[in-house]
Amino acid sequence: MADALIRSKKPAASTRTPAGGAPTAPHSAQEAAEPRIDVDAVTDMLLGTWGRTRREAREMIKDPAFWQISGQTVAEHRERVLGQLRLLVENGASARAYPVEYGGLGDNGANIAGFEELVLADPSLQIKAGVQWGLFGAAIQQLGTKRHHDAWLRDAADLTLPGAFAMTETGHGSDVAAIGTTATYDPDTEEFVIHTPFRGAWKDYLGNAALHGKAATVFAQLITGGVNYGVHCFFVPIRDENGEFLPGVGGEDDGVKGGLNGIDNGRLHFDRVRVPRFNLLDRYGQVDASGAYSSDIPSPGRRFFTMLGALVQGRISLDGASTTAAALALKIAVTYGNQRRQFDSGAGTPEVVLLDYGKHQRRLIPRIATAYAQAFAHDEFLRKFDGVFSGRTDTPAEREDLETLAASLKPLSTWNALETIQDCREACGGSGFLAENRLTGLHHDLDVYATFEGDNNILLQLVGKRLLGDFAKQFTGADAGTLARYAVGQTAGKLFHGAGLRRLGQTVADLGSTARSVELGLREDAQHELLAGRVQQMVADLAARLRPASKLSPAAAAALFNENQAELIEAARAHGELLQWEAFTDALHAVTDGGTLRVLTWLRDLFGLSLIEKHLAWYLIAGRLSAQRAASVTRYIDRLCARLRPHAQDLVDAWGFAPEHVRAPIASGAERARQEEAAAYYAALAASGEAPVSEKSLHKKR
Amino acid sequence: MADALIRSKKPAASTRTPAGGAPTAPHSAQEAAEPRIDVDAVTDMLLGTWGRTRREAREMIKDPAFWQISGQTVAEHRERVLGQLRLLVENGASARAYPVEYGGLGDNGANIAGFEELVLADPSLQIKAGVQWGLFGAAIQQLGTKRHHDAWLRDAADLTLPGAFAMTETGHGSDVAAIGTTATYDPDTEEFVIHTPFRGAWKDYLGNAALHGKAATVFAQLITGGVNYGVHCFFVPIRDENGEFLPGVGGEDDGVKGGLNGIDNGRLHFDRVRVPRFNLLDRYGQVDASGAYSSDIPSPGRRFFTMLGALVQGRISLDGASTTAAALALKIAVTYGNQRRQFDSGAGTPEVVLLDYGKHQRRLIPRIATAYAQAFAHDEFLRKFDGVFSGRTDTPAEREDLETLAASLKPLSTWNALETIQDCREACGGSGFLAENRLTGLHHDLDVYATFEGDNNILLQLVGKRLLGDFAKQFTGADAGTLARYAVGQTAGKLFHGAGLRRLGQTVADLGSTARSVELGLREDAQHELLAGRVQQMVADLAARLRPASKLSPAAAAALFNENQAELIEAARAHGELLQWEAFTDALHAVTDGGTLRVLTWLRDLFGLSLIEKHLAWYLIAGRLSAQRAASVTRYIDRLCARLRPHAQDLVDAWGFAPEHVRAPIASGAERARQEEAAAYYAALAASGEAPVSEKSLHKKR
């Protein structure tokens, strides 16, 4: 499966752009003899299946017209990003997912890959483009049928028709099924009446709603013949040619936000606004002229989730963009940490480079490992998505797996991006707080990724329920052997691969002839056993604890579930971590270059062991690690950090960011130049014989 | 000792301001019979020793002129905050620490307490005020002598003389001893020549430097007679009446920052700028007309740390302001979490209030406990500071303890504020991302608190070294009993109290007649034993591992230290956590009201157990907790969260914030009103007989 990873195209010329223009020098003579990664080959791995599209997008956004400008007013920033959307159209980068006949390329995977790279230019651009083409346009494409495509898709694609995606309400966020907006069918006029019955049902936090949207895809309870058929989506014009609200439509600006201020988020409400029956995006549910409702999906619940699932690409692109943003932050902080010096070591040597400090390594290097794991998991995720949405592998089961993957990976990567960016910010000290060095802006903009497109905790809870459901379906009364296979094959591998047992553990076990015995006990197969075993046991434990629920009153069952909610979410997180670890390991198995394999194996080990260390108490309590072995996990991580330290720059350079993508002065080599100037000053002073002596040396003389 | 906590003045009228104007109702009939806290009494405890000053400051900042306005440009925000500083002068709130003859009150504790409250109005105001009076003015006060006070202190106090505190350089942050700026004495003219020899020695990140500063207290290497006497501070005029740089002075604007944009941070450099000999702030080191240097403190190292220590109040105020900001975030998120409903429970009941979800409780309630612990620790810290700086307890040992306290507590509280605010932001979903709800702004502004006034990790490393030093001094070759006393008495208690063994464990052990046995095993005395024992063992282990250093080469010793750096920092963190726990426990021991004592004891237990849970793997590996007892920690925390849930609103209301301090629409009761409107709509619809039936019910009928 993983060989798809090496399918990506290798460019003729190297795209490697080391920090400050200087090559990454070995850290010591010993290191010069050690393995190094093939940076260009790793770039290919990281860019993944749609590497060519990613390179196109990166080339495009080298144009400063795409870059975020710190300190712009909200109004200026909004206009700038609107202009950038027009540039995307001009560059043919707006609608790769749409069918060719509507100006697209019909390439779902490339579409997401291209959008994700926009985060390097300005996250507001990424998200506003996502609103226009990935939500508003995608609702028309995915929830509508050909006549809707004919009517609106081309205009959406070329931004003739900017639109809002009106799902969330002030009173209901992640619980979309409970929204209050109604769309009541009037057979007399063959119209739907879109109505906001109370303040909590105002549509809220909608990009393009405050200013630029001319229409909206409005989610509302479809009522016909006195029956509520649940949430459906309607195309509703909202503004006239002059940008004034149409009759019955009103709204408000959401004002300043904690980030993403290039997007005009706002509120919308509807006072009995009538739209033709035609405007129901009716791929999954139709209303005929008489008002009779029909759908291919009889279950209201399944129909609802199918409609929502058609919009999964939002979550996918957040997973990818968060990974890229975390990688950018690491590129900045590692480059600076490799140049900045602070404090002498007390050994009479020059001041120490930050990344030579044990604590600094511990802060940053495991984060590199996580970003790599996320990138590999994301590429598998994106291929799964492309398979389903291209129709090649479009089955209900595949769609359900895709949903679970999205709900597993998006929370982990969005949270990890915030933590990584924050650590990088702090690792750069006061310089990290200057807007020009980008770390604070990335944090501000990505903050909301943790709660939009589905609150992270709610998504993980969905995953947890799926894990419990799979468990209940297959393993009621099962023996221990069955459970073990469940852990190894079902919970994780199946989602990516749709197949049974995974065979891991042989490929690299013979690498480390000098490795200590304890390390051998924490190699690939042991890591997998520990990570997969934890998922399995947590799910089994939860299932056992929740089993009495079926015999309880609904209220008592709900209370029992609630008592176990935090742990269910933890189990889902463990499952997502396992997926990421497996994707990293699959990627490793496709590597042929010896140095690359060795260094990336250390990095994957660091990822796996960091996960195990994070949950060390669990492993100890569960009796899966002895106290002695647990203590060795931390020591092994320390050794891996030290081993990877000379490769840190290579590993962040391998993301292939050009200076136009990094743009942070502290990662430009300026710091190194300043230090060289200072060193030259002191050397000249010493040579002049006019350097003041220190008071201490004076004391000694006395 | 802790009885000082109940000394604070109780106002005539209640200052309690429940969320949305409604009293906090019991959550169920059972709860109505349960103990409640006396909210007003707890407010007194939290406001602490200088409660009257805090109330004065809070009253003052009810004036909207002090409030941050989201979305202002950097230029507008800077002018607004400058104007607010003038308002502070008008309100007599600028210089409580200065002697009466210079317009102050001579009250150091009150000064810090009053400044800290400004964070509720705008953190930029708090920090710019801190720059002007707590750094620039305090340098004149603390490092200068009477003639310097006569010359500049009154003008600094009333803002006639806005100034920058020019310590940090682009090339050197936390390592102040290594700065490059020189001040070379010229006996011919009796002047110091202030000079910036290279770009890295530019002063950087200085508030008041970009625009408003007329002078600066510049730290530079004092060179006289060919000898460098180390870093001293000089008063240097930088701008003329028209705001133009004086000859030889130059600078740059630091531009947009990740927060605190109400402050005009900038850079300064000096090209052989001459200032009179008088301008050396010479309390700790003097140069006579001939150029001869003298100081009461012969050791250059101790002199340097004494000078820096004179400016400890910056760190103190960050500890307090971070705690207040975390409390404000919790007030907002808990109030919203108590009103906002999302998803029904599946039991046919109304949608569930967020704070009734197990995960939501787990996110927010332990954070309340931490904020309480920080507040109590901060008040003890502030009293210690006031004792030293008033001269009552001003000894070198007390000053050293104060430094260690600052380095212990500031990192914990500033990091905790960021984590708490972020959790609160996410707990409020999309609403939390709107600037009007303040959580994102608080995060942006407080971000840099983690690295300025001493990088948190570097401060903790200082604490770690102090712990190691104390250990080495007193316990080389000591037996286990001595070590145990060290843990209980020395590392923590001594810093606050300057006295030996602490007696804990009896007061509340008899409270819980129905408590389960496992809880009895995790009560106060057990918590203290676990927390203090961890500090002791970590320090002892580190000492053992570092012992070979004395026999190694300087380079090898530095490498050995570096290998253990991350763990040394962890030991220091454990020590700070113990300090906070002890302060909380001391505060508890002064409580007389039964309900308050009971609830706050749960809260303290939650704090202690959360710390133990965070480090659970350590306890298991060290053999200090069995697997069974470790597992019970998490279950006990779950129970404590459930027990405290009905008190959550009381506990955040007890911070005593008025609506003018909270200002977040989501914490105003608006959400509750919206839900009541929606419920009324659905009730009326049902009563009308015109409500649509659900599709599901239709399926059932068929």
Side-chain angles (χ1 to χ4, degrees):
Chain A
M1 286 290 165
D3 58 358
L5 287 171
I6 51 168
R7 268 190 259 123
S8 58
K9 300 89 202 160
K10 197 161 177 174
S14 165
T15 58
R16 188 178 170 190
T17 52
T24 303
H27 193 249
S28 68
Q30 188 201 335
E31 286 163 23
E34 283 180 359
R36 314 290 296 180
I37 63 167
D38 177 343
V39 173
D40 288 340
V42 175
T43 303
D44 286 346
M45 288 173 70
L46 290 169
L47 292 183
T49 309
W50 286 273
R52 191 166 57 187
T53 305
R54 293 191 193 276
R55 286 191 165 91
E56 279 171 19
R58 289 191 184 180
E59 201 54 41
M60 177 184 73
I61 58 172
K62 285 183 179 173
D63 180 348
F66 286 103
W67 302 351
Q68 187 178 109
I69 298 173
S70 301
Q72 280 200 314
T73 64
V74 168
E76 290 163 352
H77 194 185
R78 285 173 171 186
E79 283 312 304
R80 179 174 175 83
V81 173
L82 180 66
Q84 291 168 341
L85 256 63
R86 295 202 187 97
L87 285 178
L88 291 183
V89 173
E90 287 172 23
N91 281 274
S94 69
R96 293 184 180 95
Y98 297 162
V100 176
E101 58 265 43
Y102 306 107
L105 301 175
D107 188 339
N108 288 281
N111 181 58
I112 301 291
F115 273 127
E116 287 169 354
E117 299 298 323
L118 300 180
V119 78
L120 294 167
D122 182 348
S124 285
L125 170 59
Q126 182 223 338
I127 298 299
K128 185 155 172 134
V131 167
Q132 173 65 23
W133 295 298
L135 292 172
F136 169 71
I140 298 168
Q141 186 193 8
Q142 300 292 339
L143 304 181
T145 53
K146 183 163 188 308
R147 58 210 176 98
H148 301 118
H149 301 169
D150 290 344
W152 303 306
L153 204 51
R154 184 171 282 278
D155 286 352
D158 68 9
L159 207 62
T160 306
L161 181 67
F165 179 77
M167 177 185 271
T168 298
E169 297 180 353
T170 304
H172 285 94
S174 292
D175 185 8
V176 177
I179 57 172
T181 303
T182 53
T184 310
Y185 184 65
D186 178 353
D188 294 342
T189 61
E190 292 196 35
E191 288 170 322
F192 285 101
V193 183
I194 311 292
H195 186 59
T196 308
F198 44 81
R199 173 63 186 81
W202 283 25
K203 298 294 178 181
D204 207 344
Y205 317 119
L206 319 175
N208 273 344
L211 285 177
H212 303 141
K214 301 281 189 217
T217 46
V218 177
F219 289 77
Q221 308 284 351
L222 190 162
I223 298 164
T224 178
V227 178
N228 182 345
Y229 287 90
V231 175
H232 288 66
C233 187
F234 301 82
F235 182 95
V236 183
I238 59 169
R239 283 195 175 84
D240 64 20
E241 294 297 302
N242 306 317
E244 301 296 323
F245 277 129
L246 293 169
V249 181
E252 255 177 19
D253 197 316
D254 273 325
V256 186
K257 303 189 300 296
L260 296 181
N261 277 306
I263 307 166
D264 56 323
N265 289 72
R267 307 182 175 109
L268 293 176
H269 52 84
F270 304 94
D271 183 11
R272 297 177 179 80
V273 171
R274 288 176 168 265
V275 296
R277 186 169 63 93
F278 177 91
N279 288 24
L280 168 62
L281 300 172
D282 63 351
R283 176 164 167 195
Y284 295 107
Q286 305 83 34
V287 172
D288 72 13
S290 75
Y293 181 86
S294 60
S295 170
D296 290 345
I297 309 176
S299 155
R302 246 198 65 216
R303 190 192 314 134
F304 173 72
F305 283 109
T306 303
M307 284 197 261
L308 258 58
L311 303 162
V312 70
Q313 54 189 299
R315 289 174 193 168
I316 301 180
S317 68
L318 298 187
D319 181 54
S322 296
T323 302
T324 303
L328 175 61
L330 286 163
K331 165 80 177 180
I332 294 169
V334 168
T335 303
Y336 184 65
N338 253 329
Q339 297 182 12
R340 173 74 169 185
R341 293 174 184 274
Q342 194 82 288
F343 290 102
D344 61 36
S345 66
T349 47
E351 290 174 295
V352 177
V353 167
L354 293 187
L355 204 58
D356 282 338
Y357 284 109
K359 177 70 185 177
H360 217 75
Q361 293 167 16
R362 261 286 194 164
R363 284 168 104 168
L364 296 180
I365 297 178
R367 299 232 173 257
I368 301 175
T370 304
Y372 268 63
Q374 282 181 194
F376 297 132
H378 180 69
D379 196 58
E380 294 209 42
F381 182 19
L382 199 50
R383 280 187 281 139
K384 180 99 173 179
F385 161 74
D386 188 65
V388 170
F389 276 69
S390 68
R392 287 195 309 277
T393 55
D394 189 2
T395 67
E398 285 281 308
R399 285 202 174 236
E400 200 186 357
D401 282 356
L402 186 64
E403 283 288 310
T404 305
L405 262 181
S408 299
L409 296 179
K410 180 263 184 184
L412 269 58
S413 51
T414 54
W415 272 326
N416 178 63
L418 292 181
E419 289 167 13
T420 300
I421 295 164
Q422 183 67 29
D423 257 356
C424 289
R425 194 313 273 161
E426 294 180 24
C428 295
S431 294
F433 194 57
L434 300 186
E436 64 178 21
N437 290 319
R438 303 194 59 200
L439 297 165
T440 55
L442 284 173
H443 197 283
H444 300 177
D445 289 332
L446 268 75
D447 183 359
V448 77
Y449 289 29
T451 53
F452 71 4
E453 295 277 331
D455 175 89
N456 280 357
N457 279 305
I458 293 173
L459 292 178
L460 287 178
Q461 182 171 297
L462 284 175
V463 174
K465 286 180 174 173
R466 167 85 192 272
L467 293 173
L468 280 174
D470 283 5
F471 184 88
K473 251 186 269 172
Q474 298 176 47
F475 299 100
T476 309
D479 64 14
T482 315
L483 287 176
R485 279 196 297 281
Y486 169 75
V488 177
Q490 189 69 14
T491 60
K494 175 172 171 286
L495 283 175
F496 282 144
H497 305 289
L501 273 179
R502 300 165 59 81
R503 278 167 303 278
L504 300 174
Q506 281 78 48
T507 319
V508 292
D510 55 343
L511 259 180
S513 55
T514 64
R516 309 185 194 187
S517 63
V518 61
E519 296 184 7
L520 278 171
L522 291 167
R523 285 295 175 86
E524 185 168 290
D525 49 354
Q527 290 168 35
H528 189 252
E529 187 189 314
L530 287 166
L531 294 171
R534 181 160 180 261
V535 177
Q536 175 252 314
Q537 187 172 332
M538 288 182 90
V539 173
D541 288 351
L542 279 162
R545 258 180 281 150
L546 294 172
R547 197 163 297 150
S550 58
K551 290 164 201 131
L552 297 175
S553 70
L560 180 64
F561 184 84
N562 197 30
E563 277 169 31
N564 288 282
Q565 186 192 26
E567 184 149 349
L568 184 68
I569 288 169
E570 271 309 295
R573 187 197 301 266
H575 170 258
E577 291 168 348
L578 174 63
L579 288 177
Q580 292 177 335
W581 184 93
E582 291 187 346
F584 199 153
T585 301
D586 276 349
L588 264 190
H589 290 181
V591 172
T592 51
D593 174 67
T596 302
L597 178 60
R598 183 129 194 198
V599 173
L600 291 191
T601 301
W602 291 336
L603 195 67
R604 192 280 322 271
D605 288 349
L606 180 59
F607 179 63
L609 290 168
S610 296
L611 293 175
I612 292 164
E613 188 188 48
K614 191 165 75 166
H615 308 302
L616 208 53
W618 187 93
Y619 287 106
L620 284 155
I621 292 173
R624 285 169 185 260
L625 281 178
S626 67
Q628 197 188 4
R629 209 155 154 241
S632 72
V633 169
T634 293
R635 287 197 302 272
Y636 193 7
I637 290 175
D638 288 340
R639 280 204 299 281
L640 284 168
C641 284
R643 255 183 225 165
L644 284 162
R645 187 259 168 271
H647 305 279
Q649 191 70 51
D650 285 350
L651 290 167
V652 296
D653 288 349
W655 288 97
F657 300 130
E660 294 89 341
H661 305 130
V662 180
R663 305 198 298 279
I666 47 167
S668 67
E671 175 63 22
R672 182 175 281 163
R674 280 195 294 266
Q675 286 174 7
E676 285 164 0
E677 185 202 357
Y681 164 81
Y682 286 119
L685 190 64
S688 73
E690 287 174 14
V693 300
S694 79
E695 187 186 1
K696 249 185 209 166
S697 67
L698 205 68
H699 285 296
K700 281 179 194 158
K701 275 184 216 159
R702 277 172 188 164
Chain B
M1 287 289 166
D3 58 357
L5 287 170
I6 52 169
R7 268 192 259 121
S8 59
K9 299 87 201 164
K10 197 159 176 174
S14 167
T15 57
R16 188 176 169 191
T17 52
T24 304
H27 193 246
S28 69
Q30 188 200 337
E31 286 162 21
E34 282 179 1
R36 313 292 294 181
I37 63 167
D38 176 341
V39 174
D40 288 340
V42 175
T43 303
D44 286 346
M45 288 175 70
L46 290 168
L47 292 183
T49 309
W50 285 272
R52 191 166 57 187
T53 304
R54 293 190 192 277
R55 286 190 165 92
E56 279 172 18
R58 289 190 183 180
E59 202 54 43
M60 177 185 72
I61 59 174
K62 285 183 178 173
D63 179 350
F66 286 103
W67 301 351
Q68 186 177 108
I69 298 172
S70 301
Q72 281 200 315
T73 64
V74 168
E76 290 164 350
H77 194 186
R78 286 172 170 186
E79 283 311 305
R80 180 174 174 82
V81 173
L82 180 66
Q84 290 168 341
L85 256 60
R86 294 202 187 97
L87 285 179
L88 290 184
V89 173
E90 287 172 23
N91 281 273
S94 69
R96 293 185 180 95
Y98 297 162
V100 177
E101 58 265 43
Y102 305 108
L105 299 176
D107 189 338
N108 286 282
N111 181 59
I112 300 292
F115 273 126
E116 288 169 354
E117 299 298 322
L118 301 180
V119 78
L120 294 166
D122 182 347
S124 284
L125 170 59
Q126 183 223 337
I127 298 300
K128 185 153 171 136
V131 167
Q132 174 63 23
W133 294 298
L135 291 173
F136 170 70
I140 297 169
Q141 187 193 6
Q142 300 291 338
L143 304 181
T145 53
K146 183 163 187 307
R147 59 212 175 97
H148 301 117
H149 303 168
D150 290 344
W152 302 306
L153 204 51
R154 183 170 283 278
D155 286 354
D158 69 8
L159 207 62
T160 306
L161 180 67
F165 179 77
M167 179 185 271
T168 298
E169 296 179 353
T170 304
H172 285 96
S174 292
D175 185 8
V176 177
I179 56 172
T181 304
T182 53
T184 310
Y185 184 64
D186 178 351
D188 294 341
T189 60
E190 292 195 36
E191 288 171 321
F192 284 100
V193 183
I194 311 292
H195 186 60
T196 308
F198 44 81
R199 173 64 185 81
W202 283 26
K203 298 295 178 179
D204 207 344
Y205 318 119
L206 319 176
N208 273 344
L211 285 177
H212 302 141
K214 301 282 190 218
T217 46
V218 177
F219 289 77
Q221 308 285 351
L222 189 164
I223 298 165
T224 179
V227 178
N228 183 343
Y229 287 91
V231 175
H232 288 66
C233 187
F234 301 82
F235 181 95
V236 183
I238 58 169
R239 282 194 177 86
D240 64 19
E241 293 298 302
N242 307 316
E244 301 297 323
F245 277 128
L246 292 170
V249 181
E252 253 177 21
D253 197 315
D254 273 324
V256 186
K257 302 187 303 293
L260 296 182
N261 277 306
I263 307 167
D264 56 322
N265 289 72
R267 306 182 177 112
L268 293 176
H269 52 85
F270 304 94
D271 183 11
R272 296 177 179 80
V273 172
R274 289 178 167 263
V275 297
R277 184 169 64 96
F278 177 91
N279 287 25
L280 167 63
L281 299 172
D282 63 350
R283 177 165 167 193
Y284 294 108
Q286 304 82 36
V287 172
D288 72 12
S290 74
Y293 181 86
S294 60
S295 170
D296 290 345
I297 310 175
S299 154
R302 245 197 65 213
R303 192 191 312 135
F304 173 71
F305 282 110
T306 302
M307 283 196 263
L308 258 60
L311 303 163
V312 70
Q313 54 189 297
R315 289 174 192 168
I316 300 180
S317 68
L318 298 186
D319 181 55
S322 296
T323 302
T324 303
L328 174 62
L330 286 163
K331 164 80 178 182
I332 293 168
V334 167
T335 302
Y336 185 66
N338 253 330
Q339 297 181 12
R340 173 74 170 184
R341 292 173 184 276
Q342 194 83 288
F343 290 104
D344 62 36
S345 66
T349 48
E351 290 172 296
V352 178
V353 168
L354 293 188
L355 204 58
D356 282 338
Y357 285 108
K359 178 70 185 175
H360 216 76
Q361 293 167 16
R362 261 285 195 164
R363 286 169 102 167
L364 295 181
I365 296 178
R367 298 232 173 256
I368 300 175
T370 305
Y372 268 63
Q374 282 181 195
F376 297 134
H378 180 69
D379 196 58
E380 294 209 41
F381 182 19
L382 200 49
R383 280 187 281 139
K384 180 98 170 179
F385 162 74
D386 190 64
V388 170
F389 276 68
S390 68
R392 288 195 309 277
T393 55
D394 188 3
T395 66
E398 285 281 308
R399 285 202 174 234
E400 199 186 357
D401 282 357
L402 185 65
E403 282 289 310
T404 306
L405 262 180
S408 300
L409 297 178
K410 179 263 186 184
L412 270 59
S413 52
T414 53
W415 271 328
N416 178 64
L418 292 181
E419 289 166 14
T420 299
I421 296 164
Q422 184 66 27
D423 257 356
C424 290
R425 191 316 270 161
E426 294 179 25
C428 295
S431 294
F433 193 59
L434 300 186
E436 64 178 20
N437 290 320
R438 303 196 58 199
L439 297 165
T440 54
L442 283 173
H443 198 283
H444 299 178
D445 289 331
L446 268 73
D447 183 358
V448 77
Y449 288 29
T451 53
F452 70 6
E453 297 276 331
D455 175 89
N456 281 357
N457 280 304
I458 293 174
L459 292 178
L460 287 178
Q461 182 171 298
L462 283 176
V463 175
K465 287 181 173 174
R466 166 83 193 272
L467 293 172
L468 280 174
D470 283 4
F471 184 86
K473 249 184 271 172
Q474 299 176 45
F475 299 101
T476 311
D479 63 13
T482 314
L483 287 175
R485 277 196 298 282
Y486 171 73
V488 177
Q490 189 69 15
T491 61
K494 176 172 170 283
L495 282 175
F496 280 146
H497 305 291
L501 274 178
R502 299 167 60 82
R503 279 168 301 278
L504 301 173
Q506 280 78 49
T507 320
V508 293
D510 56 344
L511 260 179
S513 55
T514 63
R516 307 181 195 189
S517 63
V518 60
E519 298 184 6
L520 279 171
L522 291 167
R523 287 296 175 83
E524 184 168 291
D525 49 353
Q527 290 169 36
H528 188 254
E529 187 189 315
L530 287 165
L531 295 172
R534 182 160 180 262
V535 177
Q536 176 252 312
Q537 187 173 331
M538 289 183 90
V539 173
D541 288 351
L542 279 161
R545 259 181 279 151
L546 294 173
R547 196 162 298 150
S550 58
K551 289 163 203 131
L552 297 174
S553 70
L560 179 64
F561 183 84
N562 197 28
E563 277 170 31
N564 288 283
Q565 186 192 26
E567 184 151 347
L568 183 68
I569 288 169
E570 271 309 295
R573 187 196 301 266
H575 169 258
E577 290 168 348
L578 174 63
L579 288 177
Q580 292 177 336
W581 184 93
E582 291 188 345
F584 199 152
T585 301
D586 276 349
L588 265 189
H589 289 181
V591 171
T592 51
D593 174 67
T596 302
L597 178 60
R598 184 132 195 192
V599 174
L600 291 192
T601 300
W602 290 337
L603 196 67
R604 193 280 321 272
D605 288 348
L606 180 59
F607 178 63
L609 291 167
S610 296
L611 293 176
I612 292 163
E613 188 187 48
K614 192 165 74 165
H615 309 301
L616 208 53
W618 186 92
Y619 287 105
L620 285 155
I621 292 173
R624 286 171 184 260
L625 281 178
S626 67
Q628 195 188 5
R629 208 156 153 240
S632 72
V633 169
T634 294
R635 287 198 303 273
Y636 193 7
I637 290 175
D638 288 340
R639 278 205 300 282
L640 284 168
C641 284
R643 252 182 229 165
L644 285 163
R645 187 261 167 270
H647 304 281
Q649 192 69 51
D650 285 351
L651 290 167
V652 296
D653 288 349
W655 288 97
F657 300 130
E660 294 90 340
H661 306 130
V662 180
R663 306 198 298 279
I666 46 167
S668 68
E671 175 62 24
R672 181 174 282 162
R674 281 194 294 266
Q675 287 175 6
E676 284 165 1
E677 184 202 359
Y681 165 82
Y682 286 118
L685 191 64
S688 74
E690 287 173 14
V693 300
S694 80
E695 187 185 3
K696 250 185 207 166
S697 68
L698 207 67
H699 284 295
K700 281 179 192 156
K701 275 184 213 156
R702 275 170 188 163

